[in-house]
Amino acid sequence: LHAVVGRHPGAAVRRDDIALVPLTDRRKDLSPMSKPRILVARNIFPEVVERLSQHFEVESNPQDVVWTPAELAQKLADKDGALTTGSQRVDAALLAAAPRLRIVANMAVGYNNFDVDAMTAAGVQGTNTPDVLTETTADFGFALLMATARRMAESEHYLRAGQWTKWSYDLFAGTEVHGSTLGILGMGRIGQGIAKRGAHGFGMNVVYHNRSRLTPELEAECKARYVSKEELLRTADHLVLVLPYTPASHHAIGAAEIAQMKPTANLINIARGGIVDDAALAQALKDRRIAAAGLDVFEGEPAVHPELLTVPNVVLTPHIASATVPTRLAMANLAADNLVAFFEGRGPLTPVNTPAGKRA
Ligand code: DGY
């Protein structure tokens, strides 16, 4: 009303003030303040886009085009917020091209696609989707461990190819899961979920290495023992990677680390491509330096190192560890909730940074 009648904020509005404005103009001017503009950068659940549309002017991407950085910059030029997935890089160049952008809500727990320092310096809030995917992702980590140890993909291909003609004592004989040593590199919520599955469900001896040691209570809950990275590599029968991808964890597992592992060991990566040197791993699998690997994430995905496609002793899945319908819906809803809470002035629910200042 202030805008309609030109009064100072807080002044009482009289009926007469409104009547001074022609009806058509007044309707226009009385319309609710324009909604923030949001870009939904990939195709997501239509019901979540619909929910966002109740709060925002939404540009979505139902064709699920993976925009180039230049296309994304152009789309964000007039946006106040964005919902992204891991496939959109948010860096200083993008932020410079998006002067109105105040928040980017990632539909993923990992946010290595964010240049967090650049976002913080530019006053842009980042959020992620922790917790809602923990158990589902831990389920998948364990499934991939078992599929790798028990050679499920390799034996299925053999059967489908019509090569199965008789039972034999050593046909696809794999490595033991129950009672073996489960090593976990990165002991956050998902790592702890995998540890509990191994210790309580399969009687595994669990060892872990992490930047910081868990509390004695959590170690007891997970039945997990803290060890050095060297001991972890040396003793694990199944080594599961669940650490975040940062410059410090780039190629945390390369030829030198693989050389320290048991020749009978399996390596499972559900964290991020780039943590493993895929070329070194492919060579090690070819040379049977370790028994097998299970990989859900790849350096430069969706491209996969060509050598990994030719070796039989690897189970390959297309970054699906959190992919159940309820969990992906919960992730999309949490990303949306972050946008709504932020623009309602309630603050983000699951922030990954504390921006220095506010963008206008
Ligand atoms: C995550 O949440 O980080 C998963 O890897 C999906 O991208």
Side-chain angles (χ1 to χ4, degrees):
L1 286 176
H2 165 59
V4 175
V5 297
R7 298 172 69 91
H8 64 83
V13 176
R14 294 166 305 167
R15 273 181 154 315
D16 302 355
D17 294 332
I18 300 169
L20 293 173
V21 181
L23 185 62
T24 45
D25 291 350
R26 204 184 328 144
R27 252 197 221 124
K28 184 176 65 192
D29 291 332
L30 282 175
S31 66
M33 276 172 52
S34 64
K35 295 175 177 176
R37 293 185 195 149
I38 296 292
L39 180 72
V40 178
R42 293 291 305 276
N43 190 30
I44 61 166
F45 296 89
E47 60 266 44
V48 179
V49 177
E50 173 52 35
R51 192 160 73 80
L52 284 167
S53 306
Q54 290 163 18
H55 300 267
F56 307 115
E57 241 179 72
V58 177
E59 179 177 351
S60 61
N61 181 2
Q63 282 78 35
D64 206 26
V65 180
V66 181
W67 292 315
T68 62
E71 288 167 337
L72 183 62
Q74 190 243 316
K75 299 267 178 200
L76 285 175
D78 64 346
K79 300 297 186 299
D80 304 292
L83 191 155
T84 54
T85 66
S87 47
Q88 289 77 51
R89 175 95 188 125
V90 180
D91 56 14
L94 186 77
L95 297 173
R100 295 171 55 128
L101 194 66
R102 294 177 56 205
I103 175 168
V104 184
N106 218 29
M107 186 185 144
V109 67
Y111 50 91
N112 54 296
N113 56 312
F114 287 177
D115 180 336
V116 176
D117 290 344
M119 291 172 75
T120 303
V124 175
Q125 181 68 62
T127 65
N128 68 339
T129 59
D131 301 321
V132 291
L133 48 58
T134 300
E135 299 303 327
T136 299
T137 305
D139 283 349
F140 185 87
F142 216 85
L144 192 54
L145 182 159
M146 295 198 71
T148 304
R150 300 304 307 274
R151 305 177 64 178
M152 285 182 176
E154 195 186 349
S155 60
E156 197 211 359
H157 293 152
Y158 169 90
L159 181 151
R160 282 182 189 273
Q163 292 174 285
W164 187 30
T165 54
K166 59 181 190 303
W167 182 93
S168 0
Y169 81 97
D170 60 351
L171 186 64
F172 293 106
T175 46
E176 209 68 272
V177 175
H178 73 273
S180 65
T181 296
L182 169 60
I184 301 177
L185 186 58
M187 197 63 154
R189 288 161 285 218
I190 299 169
Q192 291 168 39
I194 293 169
K196 286 179 199 159
R197 281 158 178 77
H200 301 291
F202 291 82
M204 294 171 93
N205 163 41
V206 181
V207 288
Y208 77 97
H209 183 75
N210 197 40
R211 270 174 311 179
S212 49
R213 197 171 163 169
L214 297 184
T215 61
E217 293 74 26
L218 279 178
E219 283 190 351
E221 236 177 80
C222 297
K223 283 193 164 181
R225 188 168 62 86
Y226 180 82
V227 294
S228 66
K229 186 176 172 189
E230 292 66 34
E231 186 175 344
L232 186 82
L233 293 169
R234 213 167 15 83
T235 58
D237 293 309
H238 309 276
L239 177 60
V240 184
L241 308 180
V242 211
L243 63 168
Y245 185 45
T246 63
S249 64
H250 179 71
H251 286 189
I253 302 293
E257 288 74 20
I258 294 169
Q260 295 174 60
M261 294 173 69
K262 294 180 183 178
T264 49
N266 298 308
L267 175 69
I268 312 300
N269 188 7
I270 58 164
R272 279 290 182 271
I275 293 176
V276 175
D277 176 344
D278 283 351
L281 176 62
Q283 190 59 49
L285 290 168
K286 231 173 165 176
D287 298 345
R288 303 274 165 175
R289 187 56 211 82
I290 57 173
L295 306 175
D296 186 49
V297 286
F298 304 87
E299 265 189 299
E301 64 183 50
V304 175
H305 192 286
E307 292 287 326
L308 286 173
L309 297 171
T310 66
V311 285
N313 47 341
V314 60
V315 182
L316 306 168
T317 53
H319 201 149
I320 56 169
S322 63
T324 65
V325 176
T327 291
R328 285 282 165 88
L329 183 58
M331 291 164 68
N333 272 319
L334 179 52
D337 289 345
N338 269 303
L339 292 168
V340 172
F342 177 84
F343 282 108
E344 285 182 351
R346 289 183 280 125
L349 306 175
T350 48
V352 301
N353 66 340
T354 309
K358 264 190 172 177
R359 278 194 154 184

